[in-house]
Amino acid sequence: MTLLPPTVEQQRRIDDVLPPDPEMRKRDIAAIREWLAKQPHLPKHMDDKRLEHFLFGCKNSIERCKLILETYFSARTALPEFFANRDPLARDIQDNCDVIEYFVLPKLTEEGHRVTILRLKETALERFSLTAITRRILMVLDIRLQEEASLTNVMIFDLKGFTAGHFAKCVPTQTIVKKAMLATQNSMPFRLHRIYYLNAPTFIGSVLNIFYPLLKEKLIEKFRIHTGDGEELHPYIDKDILPNEWGGKAGTFSELNEAWRLKIEKHRDWFLREEKLSRTNESARLPTSKSLIAKELDGVQGSFRKLNID
């Protein structure tokens, strides 16, 4: 599955938000490498292209990029539930691809947003694993970090087939849920524009009320809840870029899901290598360099209001 680059008009809109400056970008990357060289606990193998994508996702802020890089590497050491055993051919990943349709659409929106969709393919509750879902999401995000610099993202959750039992596995009172939130939202340089919930059940308000106290108001403002199907997205997203079942031309849910299954499988060697390289050496960490992810895990029973969402 190829992530198509921006059109001329899309690139213009992206440049309006973050004006390109190649010379400044080179100086910024050099500054980040200089900082990395002074951090004995952090790996140094990341190439310039991926560092540029990190920097772009951090709105060209060097300081924020340093923060996200520190968390990116620290999370891979502190959260083995999601970052160990990332073999795309492993049974839990393959089973998850059979149960959950999760994929990134090939084309950007007119505004330059990248769109990701998650929906149930099978509704059997015993096959619904939040750990496997999170591991797979993070694998896809890692592939995107290699391939593109993303301005902002749109997330679509199709809740068709979700039951109270599925939601019960996702409530934030569970430690695994809080860890998943840390891993997906704190350790990646992806900014969120909008979250759409489709086919929302009547009890969705009660479910979201559990999360609201733990989230920044700025994130909650990005939620859009719809009781209907994908056609309700047409006023907001060019329908041609959507899956066929929602009136688009991107391909069927099954085709898009399979394309991303194959994509992560093609990156198998990279994942197995990165699992060893992209880790912190905690014994070499300087006393003045504290792990932010460790601090969050120490307070995992507390508030998650520090999640990065802009």
Side-chain angles (χ1 to χ4, degrees):
M1 172 60 67
T2 300
L3 294 174
L4 299 178
T7 63
V8 172
E9 179 58 25
Q10 288 167 344
Q11 189 63 57
R12 184 191 66 77
R13 295 189 179 194
I14 292 171
D15 291 345
D16 285 344
V17 178
L18 284 177
D21 188 334
E23 290 305 314
M24 181 175 288
R25 180 63 56 85
K26 289 180 182 178
R27 292 195 297 269
D28 290 346
I29 294 300
I32 291 169
R33 286 213 174 276
E34 182 179 355
W35 170 79
L36 279 171
K38 296 177 181 178
Q39 311 300 315
H41 65 292
L42 296 182
K44 315 292 190 290
H45 69 289
M46 194 174 286
D47 60 32
D48 283 357
K49 181 180 178 182
R50 194 151 47 128
L51 283 178
E52 287 180 11
H53 293 168
F54 262 87
L55 185 61
F56 189 87
C58 295
K59 299 172 71 173
N60 291 338
S61 167
I62 294 177
E63 292 309 310
R64 183 167 185 176
C65 187
K66 292 176 183 178
L67 177 66
I68 298 297
L69 280 169
E70 160 67 34
T71 309
Y72 176 88
F73 291 125
S74 296
R76 280 152 174 71
T77 304
L79 297 169
E81 304 96 324
F82 311 124
F83 295 106
N85 303 316
R86 293 210 299 172
D87 185 344
L89 300 180
R91 175 61 63 85
D92 64 334
I93 297 298
Q94 289 292 317
D95 284 350
N96 188 257
C97 290
D98 292 334
V99 175
I100 303 291
E101 289 177 327
Y102 175 74
F103 49 83
V104 187
L105 294 179
K107 292 184 178 180
L108 297 164
T109 67
E110 291 181 1
E111 298 80 9
H113 308 310
R114 184 64 74 186
V115 181
T116 303
I117 296 172
L118 187 150
R119 64 192 306 275
L120 286 181
K121 185 177 181 181
E122 291 189 21
T123 59
L125 187 58
E126 64 274 12
R127 300 191 68 188
F128 184 82
S129 167
L130 182 64
T131 301
I133 293 171
T134 303
R135 186 182 296 124
R136 182 175 161 207
I137 287 173
L138 290 163
M139 292 170 77
V140 170
L141 292 178
D142 262 328
I143 290 175
R144 288 185 57 195
L145 275 175
Q146 295 181 70
E147 296 189 354
E148 67 170 357
S150 174
L151 180 63
T152 49
N153 296 270
V154 171
M155 185 70 212
I156 301 172
F157 291 99
D158 182 359
L159 302 180
K160 185 176 182 179
F162 275 76
T163 66
H166 290 96
F167 287 112
K169 287 191 172 186
C170 301
V171 294
T173 52
Q174 299 185 54
T175 299
I176 191 65
V177 176
K178 293 185 176 182
K179 287 184 175 182
M181 292 169 69
L182 270 178
T184 54
Q185 298 189 66
N186 279 31
S187 69
M188 289 287 185
F190 291 98
R191 291 183 289 128
L192 189 61
H193 173 69
R194 190 77 72 225
I195 301 176
Y196 292 100
Y197 295 94
L198 302 179
N199 293 300
T202 56
F203 56 83
I204 188 63
S206 299
V207 173
L208 292 177
N209 281 338
I210 300 174
F211 283 88
Y212 285 155
L214 307 176
L215 302 174
K216 285 184 177 180
E217 185 174 344
K218 191 174 181 180
L219 175 59
I220 297 171
E221 290 173 352
K222 298 176 187 289
F223 292 177
R224 298 293 184 271
I225 301 173
H226 301 273
T227 57
D229 214 340
E231 289 75 12
E232 295 203 18
L233 297 171
H234 294 177
Y236 315 104
I237 300 176
D238 178 10
K239 72 175 184 178
D240 284 348
I241 78 168
L242 294 172
N244 297 4
E245 290 89 341
W246 290 347
K249 301 177 181 178
T252 66
F253 293 141
S254 179
E255 289 169 346
L256 292 163
N257 188 59
E258 285 304 305
W260 274 92
R261 184 205 299 259
L262 292 175
K263 193 175 183 74
I264 64 173
E265 288 177 2
K266 288 180 179 179
H267 284 76
R268 182 173 186 258
D269 290 344
W270 183 88
F271 282 117
L272 296 179
R273 183 173 63 254
E274 278 289 306
E275 187 175 321
K276 299 176 181 178
L277 296 176
S278 287
R279 296 173 58 85
T280 55
N281 180 359
E282 292 301 322
S283 64
R285 185 185 289 274
L286 297 173
T288 55
S289 175
K290 296 182 180 179
S291 170
L292 297 177
I293 199 80
K295 288 182 181 179
E296 293 285 2
L297 288 173
D298 287 342
V300 78
Q301 300 301 325
S303 171
F304 269 65
R305 288 188 178 275
K306 293 183 180 181
L307 291 175
N308 295 311
I309 51 85
D310 56 6

